[in-house]
Amino acid sequence: MLAFALLGAGRIGRLHAANIAAHPNARLAAVADAVPAAAEEVAARHGARTASVEDALASAEVDAVLIATSTDTHAPLIEAAAAAGKAILCEKPIDLDIARATAAVRAARAAGVALAVGFNRRFDASFASLKARLDAGAIGAPEIVAIASRDPAPPPLSYVEVSGGLFRDMMIHDLDMARWLLGEEPVEVHAMGSALVDPAIAAAGDVDTAVVTLRTASGRLAQISNSRRAAYGYDQRIEVHGSGGMLRAENLRPTTVELATADGFVRDPVLHFFLERYGPAYRAELDAFVTAVAAGSPPAPTGEDGLAALRLADAAQASLASRAPVSLADRTDGR
Amino acid sequence: MLAFALLGAGRIGRLHAANIAAHPNARLAAVADAVPAAAEEVAARHGARTASVEDALASAEVDAVLIATSTDTHAPLIEAAAAAGKAILCEKPIDLDIARATAAVRAARAAGVALAVGFNRRFDASFASLKARLDAGAIGAPEIVAIASRDPAPPPLSYVEVSGGLFRDMMIHDLDMARWLLGEEPVEVHAMGSALVDPAIAAAGDVDTAVVTLRTASGRLAQISNSRRAAYGYDQRIEVHGSGGMLRAENLRPTTVELATADGFVRDPVLHFFLERYGPAYRAELDAFVTAVAAGSPPAPTGEDGLAALRLADAAQASLASRAPVSLADRTDGR
Amino acid sequence: MLAFALLGAGRIGRLHAANIAAHPNARLAAVADAVPAAAEEVAARHGARTASVEDALASAEVDAVLIATSTDTHAPLIEAAAAAGKAILCEKPIDLDIARATAAVRAARAAGVALAVGFNRRFDASFASLKARLDAGAIGAPEIVAIASRDPAPPPLSYVEVSGGLFRDMMIHDLDMARWLLGEEPVEVHAMGSALVDPAIAAAGDVDTAVVTLRTASGRLAQISNSRRAAYGYDQRIEVHGSGGMLRAENLRPTTVELATADGFVRDPVLHFFLERYGPAYRAELDAFVTAVAAGSPPAPTGEDGLAALRLADAAQASLASRAPVSLADRTDGR
Amino acid sequence: MLAFALLGAGRIGRLHAANIAAHPNARLAAVADAVPAAAEEVAARHGARTASVEDALASAEVDAVLIATSTDTHAPLIEAAAAAGKAILCEKPIDLDIARATAAVRAARAAGVALAVGFNRRFDASFASLKARLDAGAIGAPEIVAIASRDPAPPPLSYVEVSGGLFRDMMIHDLDMARWLLGEEPVEVHAMGSALVDPAIAAAGDVDTAVVTLRTASGRLAQISNSRRAAYGYDQRIEVHGSGGMLRAENLRPTTVELATADGFVRDPVLHFFLERYGPAYRAELDAFVTAVAAGSPPAPTGEDGLAALRLADAAQASLASRAPVSLADRTDGR
């Protein structure tokens, strides 16, 4: 039974709290949040106690922390939890600054604590099944990976302004998926982007529509397509083309109902957003973490995975600014 | 090069004329129609001559007749063509009266001429592929056949009145498909029907909505569903369930375009009616006939297939009237 | 907070126990089972106590019972729970004997307790959405309802022998769905059936493959297709045709992954069986019951729904035996 | 009745010959080919005469030429046909060299003859319908266009060597589609490519796997994905994302048959290659040309469309070589 302290009792923290409480081999011991009422509500719902971060980390009762606070606190909390010897499951990204993120990952590694980063999409049943079949050789070696990822609507401008930009905030998930599916490290990144959804996003220095191309040393290619808007729901699709064929995973719908009239055949919009689409994935992510920690094996995605995705996001951002591809070869060699 | 006389230059006759003209091993020699202008137009379009039925059948130039006249003339024309030694491709049904139809089929058999009945659906690429896979054992022996068949809109009441009723006019195609797919003769037929589309159809003594169940001696079952109305187009689908799984063939659409908006994902209505859906099937039907006649082998579906389907339609009509299943075992034995 | 006693801690009982424990407005108070160890395991898992049926029903702490015992005990347990004033959610069927089932329903009605029957399919998200759109007029009045329902594999022969037969055991769900979707009571039932899956099923006096047709007084029709075997998983599909078009609900799959190779495009088999397919439906069923009881409104499907479906199953069984349709008009009038 | 001279009686020429012969308002007057037997066969099949190119162009009987010769002869034949005052339908590309192609287009323009380039995909029923709905505002302004295009297998190496490379030979179709769908001229092109299918293609200085990104001045984006290999058939798909949703067109299959077994649900591979997929599109292309010429209106896609697509292909080739995006703004201004 792995006892968790939850750090951060916002929307995503509450989701994790419920998953911890429902997991047969995990329990929620403590909840910390800067807003005491938030922590209290979550703690009460799941029979946990509230605590300050310091108390939670100092508690011998706590085996692991789940970090679901705002992004700027992730790195210091990882370091503090590492110092306290706790296993760590941290929401992505580790930090918006690669140096800061690297320091946090190194701290965890140095302390010998388990560190996993919350790239929840790896645990989506369809994506995980696609990956397993790819690894089993269903289509031979991958040649082109295509990832479509669209949010239903842009976040508030206040969020955009502190998000680190579309590449670090949103596409970082797709960059992780691309690495995972390519089976090789990208060595070159090219990005193009526009603000077509909302001019205020452009005014904030960001884009809301972007496409990125990746290349690995052996010539495997990936295409990512992102938009902050999709009228028909949360668009989350993957295609992998290999020498022997294609694997693809489509969107999910709330029902299978189809209405046929003189106007055509109509199916539901796809699941609205990440809470709907990735609810089961968050549970599977927790389960993988709990299982790995219990077995003493390193949980995945690792801190290094988190850094690698951030490095790709940085490269995409740089490519957008410079209007030129960015080479990652040296940095990859240097890791 | 098989030279055809086309008997009947109406809508379906014109379709056959164009297919004959385009076939590499067939040509249209003569066209007969009670309306001279209709025959002239078709003949002119395809470089054929007009002729009376008598002249066409007497002509040494003519190898085969394609009978596309009104139903009540099919049987005498089959007999006349048989007497003239011409190969015969006759639109369904042979006749609305089983005795009259039987006499015509016997006449063709006695004369030793080839006779095929225009059950065009057997030549639909999807249905033919389904049948081929079934025969190849893809799902083992068939257990349940399910056929859905809906016209986009009811025919004119004047047509309904002389049609012989839904079972002989419309469902006869599905009854042929059921026999073909079951691989065994039905020995029991049960029908239920209603006039839900138009009360005038009830007033004319017919139904517009009907379901029929068939059973073979070994216990294989078939379900047929018919309606004279389908808002979304011409509904033509088949499912066959066997010990090893299912084979199904879906409807066809004019395009593959899908529109996704906040209202959902919309695809086209299905192809509108038989001319759209079965255009290629009519060509394949002609090709099969031409090829069989050229090879001296009997073309299919045979006259006996036409009689068997009509016998099932009669049984369905009788079941509807009597509100009881009708047994076909004796009649089947007696063939 | 509705406190439940669970009667029956077998496979389906354990499912209900977990759903009760997870429901925000319900809790599991007591568990009774003829096998004490089974009751103890379930009780321990969810913090409940074990009890005899008598104790559970006598307990003031218990508000409601969930009956998940073997079928032959349902009726007496309904009567005992009614006498104890408990709200009742009973797994289907109420009883295999219509007279016995009717007595139990009358007992509940007389006692004024809430009684719901576990026709879980009404709570499937896709079927419920289809029904809601039908009721909202999306396709006009229903004309033909088509229900396909196939189990992945036949149950043990020992189960078949006490099951009451395919119609009462398996098709009763589909008969309930047909009533629900037709919006009118069937007045005529016709059945055909065979034992094509296993001759031992025939030897036990049952069929494993069956088709049933229903007709309502106004002429609406329904077709049901059942098999005890489907190689590709648990086949659960519905189509409703109305004057304005069609509504249909397809099967569900574990993932959306599609593999495309030279052999074609392959998707997953459909969800394996009822635990996989209807897991969320069981939760929704419980939620509807808890909500209705809390509101003091009658929960659905009602005991009368249970009787009506059983009456249709009896009629189907009689039709199979007599090889004739069975009229329900009088019995319907007499209710 | 538009009288055509067919220049080039190879595989694609024979396809065009059959389409001309079958068109109600066109006829095949003459056929020229460097191989006399090839010309004779096509001429004989369709009742045309053979001719030298010179004779065909000099003939008063000939209204239009269809150029289906090898690529290196397209430009001189356009110029000769323009000088002879014939309407011209030329297979793509006009020429592999932009200057040479430009000269040919200018010659046609100066002579005032109609010139259309054979970008057949614009006439595919699904793509044309998608475009019509896009133009009708179904999803608002386009933001991202995604085009997937894969051949079933690489061409012979001898063809690769003279093809002008993947971008000019294969992707030129997709670049035309991208321009057509974006509704704006691309001003920036970025390409990445690899030889993953066959190292001999790399040895020949070409790639067989490539992805290209386009950007227009207003920030609309396009992604193209090409491979010379697709195990599952000829992959031809389009997606357009706009402010109001998405339009997409999927691949086509020979049948709608689906086989469901314990291994899953299998559908056919997609149509094998361009002759299967675009057969109807070639007919629609011819029809549009004949109709436009008859009406005296300019046929599309125009010679300028041909040049614009070639310019994009050149830019993609340059980007691949330089590993940098290529700006087209100046060149676009200069047209």
Side-chain angles (χ1 to χ4, degrees), chain D residues 143-165:
Chain D
E143 294 173 353
I144 296 185
V145 170
I147 300 175
S149 177
R150 290 174 173 77
D151 288 351
L157 203 60
S158 58
Y159 177 87
V160 169
E161 285 165 350
V162 301
S163 68

mmCIF file of all heavy atoms in Angstrom, chain D residues 143-165:
data_model
loop_
_atom_site.group_PDB
_atom_site.id
_atom_site.type_symbol
_atom_site.label_atom_id
_atom_site.label_comp_id
_atom_site.label_asym_id
_atom_site.label_seq_id
_atom_site.Cartn_x
_atom_site.Cartn_y
_atom_site.Cartn_z
ATOM 1 N N GLU D 143 -7.483 26.645 -41.904
ATOM 2 C CA GLU D 143 -6.343 26.977 -41.038
ATOM 3 C C GLU D 143 -5.195 25.988 -41.233
ATOM 4 O O GLU D 143 -4.046 26.389 -41.322
ATOM 5 C CB GLU D 143 -6.801 27.009 -39.576
ATOM 6 C CG GLU D 143 -7.785 28.143 -39.329
ATOM 7 C CD GLU D 143 -8.415 28.142 -37.943
ATOM 8 O OE1 GLU D 143 -8.204 27.180 -37.166
ATOM 9 O OE2 GLU D 143 -9.141 29.109 -37.632
ATOM 10 N N ILE D 144 -5.512 24.711 -41.262
ATOM 11 C CA ILE D 144 -4.494 23.686 -41.521
ATOM 12 C C ILE D 144 -5.049 22.698 -42.540
ATOM 13 O O ILE D 144 -6.148 22.179 -42.372
ATOM 14 C CB ILE D 144 -4.107 22.917 -40.234
ATOM 15 C CG1 ILE D 144 -3.449 23.853 -39.223
ATOM 16 C CG2 ILE D 144 -3.168 21.753 -40.572
ATOM 17 C CD1 ILE D 144 -2.921 23.146 -37.971
ATOM 18 N N VAL D 145 -4.283 22.457 -43.580
ATOM 19 C CA VAL D 145 -4.600 21.426 -44.568
ATOM 20 C C VAL D 145 -3.611 20.285 -44.360
ATOM 21 O O VAL D 145 -2.406 20.534 -44.235
ATOM 22 C CB VAL D 145 -4.466 21.990 -46.005
ATOM 23 C CG1 VAL D 145 -4.550 20.876 -47.038
ATOM 24 C CG2 VAL D 145 -5.511 23.064 -46.264
ATOM 25 N N ALA D 146 -4.114 19.065 -44.291
ATOM 26 C CA ALA D 146 -3.230 17.900 -44.131
ATOM 27 C C ALA D 146 -3.511 16.928 -45.266
ATOM 28 O O ALA D 146 -4.656 16.520 -45.459
ATOM 29 C CB ALA D 146 -3.470 17.229 -42.786
ATOM 30 N N ILE D 147 -2.472 16.585 -45.996
ATOM 31 C CA ILE D 147 -2.608 15.705 -47.159
ATOM 32 C C ILE D 147 -1.687 14.510 -46.987
ATOM 33 O O ILE D 147 -0.480 14.666 -46.786
ATOM 34 C CB ILE D 147 -2.250 16.461 -48.463
ATOM 35 C CG1 ILE D 147 -3.178 17.669 -48.645
ATOM 36 C CG2 ILE D 147 -2.326 15.528 -49.667
ATOM 37 C CD1 ILE D 147 -2.827 18.540 -49.831
ATOM 38 N N ALA D 148 -2.270 13.321 -47.055
ATOM 39 C CA ALA D 148 -1.475 12.084 -47.017
ATOM 40 C C ALA D 148 -1.555 11.445 -48.392
ATOM 41 O O ALA D 148 -2.637 11.284 -48.944
ATOM 42 C CB ALA D 148 -2.030 11.126 -45.971
ATOM 43 N N SER D 149 -0.419 11.082 -48.933
ATOM 44 C CA SER D 149 -0.376 10.531 -50.286
ATOM 45 C C SER D 149 0.754 9.518 -50.351
ATOM 46 O O SER D 149 1.916 9.854 -50.175
ATOM 47 C CB SER D 149 -0.148 11.695 -51.263
ATOM 48 O OG SER D 149 -0.027 11.246 -52.581
ATOM 49 N N ARG D 150 0.375 8.269 -50.550
ATOM 50 C CA ARG D 150 1.373 7.195 -50.585
ATOM 51 C C ARG D 150 1.082 6.283 -51.763
ATOM 52 O O ARG D 150 -0.052 5.830 -51.930
ATOM 53 C CB ARG D 150 1.313 6.361 -49.295
ATOM 54 C CG ARG D 150 1.809 7.122 -48.106
ATOM 55 C CD ARG D 150 1.629 6.384 -46.803
ATOM 56 N NE ARG D 150 2.285 7.147 -45.752
ATOM 57 C CZ ARG D 150 1.776 8.243 -45.195
ATOM 58 N NH1 ARG D 150 0.587 8.673 -45.533
ATOM 59 N NH2 ARG D 150 2.470 8.896 -44.285
ATOM 60 N N ASP D 151 2.094 5.998 -52.534
ATOM 61 C CA ASP D 151 1.965 5.019 -53.606
ATOM 62 C C ASP D 151 2.047 3.622 -53.010
ATOM 63 O O ASP D 151 2.673 3.417 -51.962
ATOM 64 C CB ASP D 151 3.091 5.188 -54.627
ATOM 65 C CG ASP D 151 2.922 6.440 -55.485
ATOM 66 O OD1 ASP D 151 1.860 7.086 -55.404
ATOM 67 O OD2 ASP D 151 3.864 6.767 -56.221
ATOM 68 N N PRO D 152 1.464 2.634 -53.662
ATOM 69 C CA PRO D 152 1.548 1.281 -53.102
ATOM 70 C C PRO D 152 2.959 0.704 -53.127
ATOM 71 O O PRO D 152 3.339 -0.045 -52.236
ATOM 72 C CB PRO D 152 0.587 0.468 -53.987
ATOM 73 C CG PRO D 152 0.392 1.285 -55.218
ATOM 74 C CD PRO D 152 0.583 2.707 -54.837
ATOM 75 N N ALA D 153 3.746 1.081 -54.143
ATOM 76 C CA ALA D 153 5.103 0.543 -54.254
ATOM 77 C C ALA D 153 5.919 1.494 -55.114
ATOM 78 O O ALA D 153 5.367 2.211 -55.954
ATOM 79 C CB ALA D 153 5.066 -0.844 -54.891
ATOM 80 N N PRO D 154 7.220 1.535 -54.915
ATOM 81 C CA PRO D 154 8.037 2.474 -55.692
ATOM 82 C C PRO D 154 8.056 2.093 -57.169
ATOM 83 O O PRO D 154 7.923 0.920 -57.520
ATOM 84 C CB PRO D 154 9.425 2.354 -55.067
ATOM 85 C CG PRO D 154 9.426 1.108 -54.279
ATOM 86 C CD PRO D 154 8.001 0.777 -53.942
ATOM 87 N N PRO D 155 8.226 3.077 -58.036
ATOM 88 C CA PRO D 155 8.340 2.789 -59.467
ATOM 89 C C PRO D 155 9.694 2.150 -59.754
ATOM 90 O O PRO D 155 10.567 2.102 -58.877
ATOM 91 C CB PRO D 155 8.224 4.171 -60.107
ATOM 92 C CG PRO D 155 8.700 5.120 -59.065
ATOM 93 C CD PRO D 155 8.376 4.507 -57.740
ATOM 94 N N PRO D 156 9.896 1.659 -60.985
ATOM 95 C CA PRO D 156 11.211 1.116 -61.340
ATOM 96 C C PRO D 156 12.292 2.181 -61.179
ATOM 97 O O PRO D 156 12.032 3.379 -61.353
ATOM 98 C CB PRO D 156 11.060 0.743 -62.825
ATOM 99 C CG PRO D 156 9.597 0.702 -63.082
ATOM 100 C CD PRO D 156 8.936 1.600 -62.085
ATOM 101 N N LEU D 157 13.477 1.737 -60.860
ATOM 102 C CA LEU D 157 14.572 2.692 -60.647
ATOM 103 C C LEU D 157 14.836 3.510 -61.905
ATOM 104 O O LEU D 157 15.177 4.702 -61.820
ATOM 105 C CB LEU D 157 15.836 1.929 -60.224
ATOM 106 C CG LEU D 157 16.857 2.767 -59.460
ATOM 107 C CD1 LEU D 157 16.247 3.324 -58.179
ATOM 108 C CD2 LEU D 157 18.093 1.956 -59.158
ATOM 109 N N SER D 158 14.633 2.892 -63.044
ATOM 110 C CA SER D 158 14.845 3.625 -64.293
ATOM 111 C C SER D 158 13.898 4.816 -64.378
ATOM 112 O O SER D 158 14.253 5.868 -64.919
ATOM 113 C CB SER D 158 14.615 2.691 -65.485
ATOM 114 O OG SER D 158 13.297 2.165 -65.421
ATOM 115 N N TYR D 159 12.707 4.650 -63.848
ATOM 116 C CA TYR D 159 11.749 5.759 -63.841
ATOM 117 C C TYR D 159 12.174 6.814 -62.823
ATOM 118 O O TYR D 159 12.118 8.019 -63.089
ATOM 119 C CB TYR D 159 10.347 5.241 -63.526
ATOM 120 C CG TYR D 159 9.318 6.338 -63.440
ATOM 121 C CD1 TYR D 159 8.657 6.784 -64.571
ATOM 122 C CD2 TYR D 159 9.024 6.951 -62.227
ATOM 123 C CE1 TYR D 159 7.721 7.814 -64.505
ATOM 124 C CE2 TYR D 159 8.100 7.983 -62.149
ATOM 125 C CZ TYR D 159 7.447 8.408 -63.281
ATOM 126 O OH TYR D 159 6.535 9.427 -63.197
ATOM 127 N N VAL D 160 12.584 6.328 -61.646
ATOM 128 C CA VAL D 160 12.998 7.267 -60.602
ATOM 129 C C VAL D 160 14.083 8.198 -61.138
ATOM 130 O O VAL D 160 14.070 9.409 -60.897
ATOM 131 C CB VAL D 160 13.511 6.492 -59.365
ATOM 132 C CG1 VAL D 160 14.197 7.423 -58.372
ATOM 133 C CG2 VAL D 160 12.351 5.745 -58.705
ATOM 134 N N GLU D 161 14.989 7.621 -61.913
ATOM 135 C CA GLU D 161 16.152 8.397 -62.365
ATOM 136 C C GLU D 161 15.797 9.553 -63.297
ATOM 137 O O GLU D 161 16.529 10.541 -63.362
ATOM 138 C CB GLU D 161 17.152 7.452 -63.045
ATOM 139 C CG GLU D 161 17.894 6.603 -62.014
ATOM 140 C CD GLU D 161 18.606 5.411 -62.639
ATOM 141 O OE1 GLU D 161 18.366 5.142 -63.830
ATOM 142 O OE2 GLU D 161 19.385 4.758 -61.914
ATOM 143 N N VAL D 162 14.706 9.432 -64.033
ATOM 144 C CA VAL D 162 14.322 10.507 -64.953
ATOM 145 C C VAL D 162 13.086 11.258 -64.490
ATOM 146 O O VAL D 162 12.549 12.099 -65.207
ATOM 147 C CB VAL D 162 14.042 9.942 -66.380
ATOM 148 C CG1 VAL D 162 15.283 9.245 -66.928
ATOM 149 C CG2 VAL D 162 12.852 8.978 -66.361
ATOM 150 N N SER D 163 12.639 10.957 -63.271
ATOM 151 C CA SER D 163 11.346 11.473 -62.814
ATOM 152 C C SER D 163 11.402 12.927 -62.378
ATOM 153 O O SER D 163 10.363 13.558 -62.203
ATOM 154 C CB SER D 163 10.860 10.635 -61.635
ATOM 155 O OG SER D 163 11.705 10.867 -60.508
ATOM 156 N N GLY D 164 12.610 13.433 -62.160
ATOM 157 C CA GLY D 164 12.720 14.777 -61.602
ATOM 158 C C GLY D 164 12.681 14.771 -60.089
ATOM 159 O O GLY D 164 12.751 15.828 -59.462
ATOM 160 N N GLY D 165 12.570 13.591 -59.522
ATOM 161 C CA GLY D 165 12.563 13.490 -58.062
ATOM 162 C C GLY D 165 11.154 13.454 -57.506
ATOM 163 O O GLY D 165 10.188 13.882 -58.145
#
